Amino acid sequence: MSAVQYIQAKSILSKIRQTDSFFGIAYNMNLYRGCQHGCIYCDTRSECYGVGDISQISVKQNAIELLVGELRSKKQKATIGTGSMNDPYMPMEKEMGLTRRALQTISNFRFPVHIITKSDLIVRDLDVIKEISKVYAAVSITITTADDNLASKIEPYAPVTSARFRALEQLSAAGVYTGITLMPLLPYINDTVQNLRDILNRAKDSGASYVIPMFGLTLRKGSRDYFYQALDAQFPGIKANYQARFGEQYECFSSHWKELENEFQKHDLPRRMKFYEPQLPRQFSLFNENL
């Protein structure tokens, strides 16, 4: 179990500086600092974020109080995103319930939300998410491999892929706008056409409305170091391939990019999701049309 500490945060919603063309998010909400899922490719380990050891979990004790104040001060509603620096449904959320309370608060203020997670625990909050859906709610389940065994190697403390697909199916069946973030595809590990095909077929069977892919991954100082250590432990010999092909590059795209793109095109699944659109006030005619 990860070490846990409790902290007082200064704010809970961070404004996205640039237009988010992938996820439609205007604000990021991180209720925790650090993450328990232990994904070997996690970008949050990058030194530029200053998070340090992400297995050291900090719970933002005053998160809900801050959220109430910040939502009350917003003049225009815009989509709140979760899952940028950690997973809102990591294991400790089962007992803490911080994400659920945040969603209830968001529902009370009638703000739209986009939840990104690798956990089937999200199904616990289906009642609240359905209520938010009256304004706008999207749930993106991150799935990187169709193989449960491989998922356990690259995302060791997250629920396995089959559990995530079951969650997606339940959410979709309940009428929640749901899709998949298919990222990252790790060169030499899960970037095969067969893996992509299996994921897309199961996505359609599970009721996914969209699949947002990335045919590669990003590596920076900090995250690269950890990733290479994990490769040595889990996939001996592959680190040398990365070093030879990518060096110190930030973006590491699959050498099978064209084949992956061709396979994706064969499946009738949008790669873009629908964003929240504020309802415009009704305009009434000056004249009674019945006269």
Side-chain angles (χ1 to χ4, degrees), residues 185-194 196 215-216 245-246 252-264:
L185 287 183
L186 310 175
Y188 310 107
I189 297 175
N190 64 334
D191 66 333
T192 66
V193 171
Q194 186 60 56
L196 178 64
F215 301 146
R245 181 154 186 250
F246 303 116
C252 307
F253 287 109
S254 171
S255 60
H256 310 307
W257 188 90
K258 288 184 179 179
E259 292 91 335
L260 294 170
E261 181 62 34
N262 288 338
E263 179 63 32
F264 195 96

Side-chain angles (χ1 to χ4, degrees), residues 2-279:
S2 308
V4 177
Q5 63 181 0
Y6 295 86
I7 62 172
Q8 295 291 307
K10 294 181 180 179
S11 64
I12 204 65
L13 296 178
S14 58
K15 185 79 172 68
I16 302 293
R17 293 181 181 179
Q18 298 178 336
T19 302
D20 175 15
S21 60
F22 280 93
F23 307 119
I25 293 169
Y27 302 101
N28 269 324
M29 178 181 70
N30 288 293
L31 303 167
Y32 301 95
R33 184 181 175 91
C35 189
Q36 294 177 304
H37 281 164
C39 305
I40 67 172
Y41 51 75
C42 183
D43 184 59
T44 303
R45 293 190 183 89
S46 299
E47 287 185 359
C48 62
Y49 298 122
V51 176
D53 181 5
I54 65 171
S55 67
Q56 169 67 59
I57 309 300
S58 298
V59 180
K60 298 179 181 180
Q61 232 175 352
N62 59 335
I64 305 305
E65 177 185 347
L66 287 172
L67 184 60
V68 169
E70 291 176 29
L71 290 179
R72 187 172 284 147
S73 69
K74 304 296 182 191
K75 293 182 179 179
Q76 291 185 327
K77 290 181 169 57
T79 302
I80 299 169
T82 74
S84 63
M85 299 293 286
N86 54 53
D87 196 308
Y89 287 100
M90 60 180 147
M92 68 181 304
E93 166 61 21
K94 187 173 183 179
E95 286 72 39
M96 293 294 301
L98 195 55
T99 298
R100 179 174 177 84
R101 284 185 284 147
L103 291 177
Q104 289 171 328
T105 302
I106 290 169
S107 177
N108 291 340
F109 280 88
R110 297 188 60 75
F111 266 70
V113 72
H114 181 186
I115 305 165
I116 303 174
T117 182
K118 290 186 178 81
S119 179
D120 57 342
L121 179 58
I122 190 172
V123 176
R124 177 200 67 182
D125 296 339
L126 184 54
D127 59 330
V128 186
I129 295 168
K130 286 177 66 175
E131 188 63 30
I132 299 173
S133 289
K134 295 176 182 178
V135 177
Y136 171 92
V139 175
S140 295
I141 306 289
T142 298
I143 294 176
T144 59
T145 174
D147 184 340
D148 281 359
N149 291 328
L150 182 55
S152 295
K153 287 184 177 181
I154 63 178
E155 300 147 351
Y157 306 116
V160 293
T161 299
S162 55
R164 299 180 217 176
F165 272 119
R166 286 194 295 270
L168 193 155
E169 188 172 0
Q170 288 178 265
L171 290 160
S172 177
V176 176
Y177 183 52
T178 313
I180 289 174
T181 43
L182 202 168
M183 56 182 73
L185 287 183
L186 310 175
Y188 310 107
I189 297 175
N190 64 334
D191 66 333
T192 66
V193 171
Q194 186 60 56
N195 180 51
L196 178 64
R197 183 182 300 128
D198 290 344
I199 291 173
L200 294 175
N201 285 335
R202 291 172 69 177
K204 187 173 290 187
D205 291 344
S206 300
S209 295
Y210 56 89
V211 175
I212 305 173
M214 178 185 179
F215 301 146
L217 82 159
T218 56
L219 291 175
R220 288 183 273 211
K221 187 172 176 56
S223 61
R224 180 185 292 108
D225 302 335
Y226 188 94
F227 181 65
Y228 281 176
Q229 291 173 14
L231 291 184
D232 283 339
Q234 298 280 6
F235 308 97
I238 289 183
K239 180 176 76 172
N241 294 337
Y242 273 82
Q243 291 173 323
R245 181 154 186 250
F246 303 116
E248 298 295 305
Q249 288 178 213
Y250 170 55
E251 295 179 327
C252 307
F253 287 109
S254 171
S255 60
H256 310 307
W257 188 90
K258 288 184 179 179
E259 292 91 335
L260 294 170
E261 181 62 34
N262 288 338
E263 179 63 32
F264 195 96
Q265 296 294 336
K266 296 176 184 177
H267 299 261
D268 187 24
L269 281 165
R271 66 196 308 155
R272 296 284 182 181
M273 60 186 299
K274 297 176 182 177
F275 297 159
Y276 165 70
E277 295 183 1
Q279 288 188 345

